[in-house]
Each structure stands twice: as structure tokens, then as C-alpha cells.
Amino acid sequence: MTFAGLGRFGIWQHYTAVTPQDARELESLGYSTLWLGGSPPAELPVLESLLAATETQLIGTSVVNIWSAPAKQVAESFHRIEDRFPGRFILGIGAGHPEHTDVYLKPYDALVEYLDALDEAGVPKERRALAALGPRVLKLARDRTVGALPYLTTAEHTRQAREILGPDALLVPEHKIVLDTDAERARQTARPRVEFYLNLQNYVSNLRRLGFSEQDVAVPGSDHLIDALALHGTVDQVADGLVAHLAAGADQIAVQIAADDYLGALRTLAPALAARV
């Protein structure tokens, strides 16, 4: 999928943790897309300030939770943002987690209904994407949106997802990194950012499909699992690990820094990624 201005390397960050100044610097470093996680509310309050601070950077949600953000309000926010910054916003949506939602019933059907509501509200297919891990939702992403935004995956999942999506759908997986050559220290840094998801059924099921054992996915996660889900090592080793997603069929990789100083790490990483474009 060719999405104008998408680029090969984007950044994944919680929507409350990015300032307009951050976005401007990320754009100057060559990170062409900013993906905002943490279930932004339906009003999408931070999007316009980030878009106003940048010139060409795309900004997407990764993702809006369909249970907490009504489709009608999200569509209104989409059109408000699109009117001011045409072509620079990608609306990513997802069904969240049953562990966090009292009304979580039949998530696939709920996604279909939500997409129907977005259709009725005039949010075009080519400007929305879907959080997708398993085959059924990947097919829904292919058929009803521009493509898929997998989270907490490996390059092997990217390869499998591309086979399901076909050649034309957008595929932007997220991957965590730690710029540290001390393996044990890097795991200590990354593990809290992975362990949370090992309590969520959809992520654990996906990791099992990828061949990880019961021991791997048991909280707090085996070293083998942490190493696979949070790349660590030298700048070149990490950059090569990220590029593996591109080789497996991703259009872009959404890089998440599993450390507090995310801007510092991204400054260090940028030249290595630029050399691999």
C-alpha cells in the first residue's frame, strides 16, 4: 500500500506523552508518521496541535477504542481535523480488551457495526485502519479499511499478516526497542512494557499462534519472549531488527522506545534508519 508521505519508519507513543515540540523534532529527524496510542478519546484533543506544529508529518491513532469512543463523535472529530489538515490524519480503531471493558461482547460484530457507522458518517475507507492480529480481523481490515495496525508482534507475524492482507493493504506493525548492549539490563527495561499485555487474552493468543510456549507467555514473560518483542543491542543491530519487518512485507514499522528518554533514543537511531531506507 502506498500512502502519500507515509515513509518507512514511524513512531508509536502514548497520545498524552507527545508535545508539539516533540512532533516537530521527530519530523526533522525523518520520522514521517506519528502513531498515538493509549485509546485517545472521541474528541481527539491533541491531534490538531501536533499537526499544526509539523508540516508534512502524518499522524494516526493506534488506536481509538470502539467501546469508549462513540463512532458518531469520532467521525465528527475526523472531519474537523481533515478540514484543517487534509490528507494528514489516519484514523486507527480497535476493539480493545475484554479485561478492560464491562460491555465487551462479540468484538468482531462490534467492529463491523462501528465501521458501518463510520461509513454512514462519511469517513472514507482509505483514511481509516484497524488494529488486527488474528486472521479474521486482518481480513476485516483488508476489506473495510486501508489496512492493519498490529501491536506486540514479530516479523513472522508481519509475514503472515501480509499473506492475509494481500499486496495492496496498508500494514504498519509496532515494535519496541531498547538501545542497550547489556542484554539483562535491556530486558529489565523492556519487561514492564511487555508484561502488561501478557494479562490480555488477545495478545497471548496471538503469541501462541506465533509459536511461543506457555512458559514464554506466562507473566512476566520469558527472556526469549522479551527479546523477540523488544529488540535490544547496538544501534545497527536494532535497526536491522526493525528492517526485518519491512522485508517481511510491512509498509512501515512503528517504533516504540521502551525507555523513558524516547527522544534521545530516536535521535541516536535516526541516522541508522535513514541509511536503510
Side-chain angles (χ1 to χ4, degrees), residues 45-128:
V46 303
L47 269 291
E48 285 156 300
S49 64
L50 300 178
L51 287 163
T54 55
E55 295 186 9
T56 61
Q57 189 176 62
L58 296 174
I59 297 183
T61 51
S62 184
V63 290
V64 167
N65 189 319
I66 65 169
W67 304 106
S68 60
K72 183 177 184 296
Q73 294 178 30
V74 170
E76 290 171 354
S77 297
F78 173 87
H79 290 300
R80 184 191 77 235
I81 295 166
E82 178 66 12
D83 286 345
R84 286 193 62 192
F85 304 98
R88 293 181 58 199
F89 174 46
I90 305 169
L91 174 63
I93 68 167
H97 316 293
E99 295 85 354
H100 294 166
T101 309
D102 292 338
V103 296
Y104 194 99
L105 298 170
K106 297 183 179 179
Y108 183 88
D109 293 342
L111 282 170
V112 171
E113 292 176 5
Y114 201 94
L115 291 167
D116 290 344
L118 293 180
D119 285 342
E120 293 175 7
V123 178
K125 170 184 175 180
E126 63 272 13
R127 301 294 305 287
R128 64 197 194 203

Side-chain angles (χ1 to χ4, degrees), residues 223-248:
D223 287 353
H224 171 58
L225 180 74
I226 300 302
D227 290 349
L229 299 178
L231 298 169
H232 65 80
T234 67
V235 170
D236 284 334
Q237 287 170 333
V238 167
D240 287 341
L242 293 172
V243 169
H245 280 279
L246 302 179

Side-chain angles (χ1 to χ4, degrees), residues 170-205:
L170 180 72
L171 178 55
V172 182
E174 172 270 352
H175 208 117
K176 297 168 179 57
I177 70 164
V178 181
L179 295 182
D180 193 336
T181 57
D182 184 307
E184 187 55 37
R185 188 172 59 213
R187 292 177 189 127
Q188 290 176 358
T189 300
R191 185 167 268 113
R193 298 170 188 256
V194 173
E195 181 179 353
F196 168 80
Y197 299 100
L198 301 183
N199 293 296
L200 303 176
Q201 178 182 342
N202 57 338
Y203 288 112
V204 171
S205 297

Side-chain angles (χ1 to χ4, degrees), residues 131-138 150-154 156-161 164 200-214 216-217 225:
L133 292 173
R136 193 180 187 203
V137 181
L138 284 166
Y151 188 90
L152 202 74
T153 67
T154 64
E156 173 56 24
H157 182 271
T158 296
R159 184 191 66 77
Q160 295 176 17
I164 294 169
L200 303 176
Q201 178 182 342
N202 57 338
Y203 288 112
V204 171
S205 297
N206 187 60
L207 292 170
R208 287 177 181 145
R209 281 194 298 267
L210 290 172
F212 291 101
S213 69
E214 292 295 331
D216 286 327
V217 300
L225 180 74

